[in-house]
Amino acid sequence: MKISKKTDTKEKPYSCVVCSSSFKSKQYLAINMRIHTGEKPYSCEVCLSAFKSKQYLAVHMRIHTGERPYSCEVCGVSFINKTGLIVHVRTHTGKKPYSCEVCGTSFTKKHSLVLHTRTHTGDKPYSCEVCGLSFINKNSLIGHMQTHTGEKPYSCEVCGSSFTRKHSLVLHMRTHTGEKPYSCEVCGSSFAQKQNMLQHMRTHTGEKPYSCEVCGASFRHKQYMLIHMRIHTGEKPYACEICGSSFTNKKDFTIHMRTHTGEKPFSCEICNFSFTNKSNLTIHMRTHTGEKPYSCEVCGSSFRIKQTMLIHMRTHTGEKPYSCEVCGSSFTQKQHIVQHMRTHTGEKPYSCEVCSSSFTLKQTMLKHMRTHTLNL
């Protein structure tokens, strides 16, 4: 009778009195104990960094010697330790062995999963001793601390700009090199940052993952959603020091300031007419090209401006969204209700320069002016 062999379970006779973990040798137990005691008896002679074990010191020394004994067989990239190679290979195989139990997102590294899990738990274990702000990971705290110290250790060799984080310098350098390593698989557009490429992809997929909790409106970018929320909160953080007008977003504020400075940076190459914002130039160009990109689905009429098309649609739907609070009359356009309200207020903002007669509508005033020119 053939006796089956038992599974070989390696004996681990040495246990940690603090965390109860068990180990095969006294050496491994001793290394583990240093996690609890904080002891780091092995020091680097070059930079004085300290380590819990001789093995960790040996791996660290490769930073100074440049030795990278572990190479990827696919692309040839090399690493100072085996773990780095194992994680890298997953970029080729697509393997992501660490999955989030809450949302199912998977990761190539265990550490990435740990950080991601904190987005669900709200755990922020790294706190700033100056202002009390807390962060999910240590690197974010280190970068934040430099906002207090003013330290910017990473400098651009081209223009001298300095940054608090190395990653920010890497991204900045692409403004000089023109490098755009992230490409859209649909239209081929390229981007300097991965986040910008991912946001761009939503223009193809139609994905709008950020939703307003008040009205349900959805957005491609988180920033757009945050700006939209100010419609509900009434917050207008950008105020004009000249006239006191305030705005929900910086872009509208910048455009408004040009009404005071007279700046019109966007010029038409055909007639040299200039505009305060790019959107108005785009619309103006259609007067030259004849382009009318907005079409009515009912009658086929086309328009240069989207807003004009939306107003036209009301002739088919009968919608009159602007109502007079005095008499209840309703109108398809905001401009019409503004004019109508003058019949209640008696306001006549348009005056004749010849006889000082005043009118509620500009058109009526212009018609009146002809009575003077006819008498000449």
Side-chain angles (χ1 to χ4, degrees):
M1 182 176 173
K2 198 172 184 180
I3 300 173
S4 60
K5 292 182 180 179
K6 291 183 179 179
T7 304
D8 181 22
T9 56
K10 293 182 180 179
E11 189 180 3
K12 296 181 179 180
Y14 303 99
S15 296
C16 174
V17 294
V18 180
C19 64
S20 300
S21 298
S22 56
F23 302 90
K24 292 182 292 183
S25 69
K26 282 185 178 181
Q27 183 185 1
Y28 291 156
L29 174 61
I31 293 172
N32 174 74
M33 284 303 296
R34 290 168 190 155
I35 295 172
H36 304 299
T37 62
E39 182 189 5
K40 295 181 178 181
Y42 300 97
S43 298
C44 172
E45 295 179 355
V46 179
C47 66
L48 302 181
S49 297
F51 301 90
K52 294 190 292 287
S53 73
K54 196 173 182 179
Q55 182 183 2
Y56 290 165
L57 173 60
V59 172
H60 165 80
M61 287 303 296
R62 292 170 186 158
I63 296 172
H64 301 299
T65 62
E67 182 189 7
R68 292 174 175 259
Y70 301 96
S71 298
C72 174
E73 295 179 356
V74 179
C75 65
V77 176
S78 56
F79 301 86
I80 60 174
N81 59 53
K82 192 174 181 178
T83 302
L85 173 61
I86 291 170
V87 172
H88 166 78
V89 168
R90 290 171 187 156
T91 63
H92 297 300
T93 62
K95 185 180 178 183
K96 296 182 178 180
Y98 304 101
S99 297
C100 174
E101 294 180 355
V102 179
C103 65
T105 306
S106 56
F107 302 89
T108 55
K109 296 188 286 187
K110 187 176 182 179
H111 179 65
S112 299
L113 172 61
V114 171
L115 295 179
H116 167 79
T117 301
R118 290 171 185 161
T119 63
H120 296 299
T121 62
D123 182 30
K124 295 181 179 181
Y126 302 97
S127 298
C128 173
E129 295 179 357
V130 179
C131 66
L133 281 176
S134 55
F135 301 88
I136 288 174
N137 60 64
K138 191 175 182 179
N139 284 339
S140 296
L141 172 61
I142 292 171
H144 165 78
M145 286 302 295
Q146 288 161 355
T147 63
H148 295 300
T149 62
E151 181 189 6
K152 294 182 177 181
Y154 302 100
S155 299
C156 173
E157 295 179 355
V158 180
C159 66
S161 299
S162 56
F163 303 88
T164 56
R165 301 183 184 184
K166 187 177 181 179
H167 179 65
S168 299
L169 173 60
V170 171
L171 295 179
H172 165 80
M173 287 303 296
R174 290 172 184 161
T175 63
H176 297 300
T177 62
E179 182 190 8
K180 294 182 178 181
Y182 303 100
S183 298
C184 172
E185 295 179 356
V186 180
C187 67
S189 299
S190 56
F191 303 88
Q193 298 186 41
K194 186 177 182 179
Q195 184 63 26
N196 291 344
M197 187 269 286
L198 294 174
Q199 290 175 349
H200 164 80
M201 285 300 294
R202 292 171 188 154
T203 62
H204 298 299
T205 63
E207 182 190 8
K208 294 182 178 181
Y210 303 99
S211 298
C212 172
E213 294 179 356
V214 180
C215 66
S218 56
F219 303 87
R220 287 197 300 269
H221 310 313
K222 188 177 182 179
Q223 187 63 26
Y224 292 168
M225 190 267 287
L226 294 175
I227 292 172
H228 164 82
M229 285 300 294
R230 293 170 185 159
I231 296 172
H232 301 298
T233 62
E235 182 189 6
K236 294 182 178 182
Y238 302 97
C240 174
E241 294 181 357
I242 299 173
C243 67
S245 299
S246 55
F247 302 87
T248 56
N249 61 74
K250 191 174 181 180
K251 181 182 178 182
D252 289 345
F253 169 65
T254 302
I255 292 171
H256 165 79
M257 287 304 295
R258 291 170 185 156
T259 63
H260 297 299
T261 62
E263 182 190 8
K264 294 182 178 181
F266 302 97
S267 299
C268 174
E269 295 179 355
I270 298 174
C271 66
N272 292 325
F273 207 83
S274 56
F275 303 87
T276 56
N277 62 70
K278 190 176 181 180
S279 177
N280 287 348
L281 172 60
T282 301
I283 292 170
H284 165 80
M285 288 302 295
R286 292 169 188 158
T287 62
H288 298 298
T289 62
E291 181 190 9
K292 294 182 178 181
Y294 303 101
S295 299
C296 172
E297 295 179 355
V298 179
C299 67
S301 298
S302 57
F303 305 88
R304 287 188 293 114
I305 305 171
K306 187 177 182 179
Q307 186 61 26
T308 307
M309 188 269 286
L310 295 174
I311 292 170
H312 164 80
M313 286 299 294
R314 291 169 188 158
T315 62
H316 298 297
T317 63
E319 182 190 8
K320 295 181 178 182
Y322 303 100
S323 297
C324 174
E325 294 180 357
V326 180
C327 66
S329 299
S330 57
F331 304 87
T332 57
Q333 298 183 44
K334 188 176 182 179
Q335 179 187 0
H336 292 166
I337 191 172
V338 170
Q339 294 172 349
H340 166 79
M341 287 303 294
R342 292 170 187 156
T343 63
H344 297 298
T345 62
E347 181 189 8
K348 295 182 178 182
Y350 302 100
S351 298
C352 173
E353 295 178 357
V354 179
C355 67
S356 299
S357 297
S358 56
F359 304 88
T360 55
L361 303 176
K362 186 177 182 179
Q363 183 179 0
T364 308
M365 186 269 287
L366 294 174
K367 185 177 180 180
H368 163 81
M369 288 293 293
R370 296 189 192 114
T371 62
H372 295 298
T373 57
L374 290 172
N375 292 331
L376 293 176

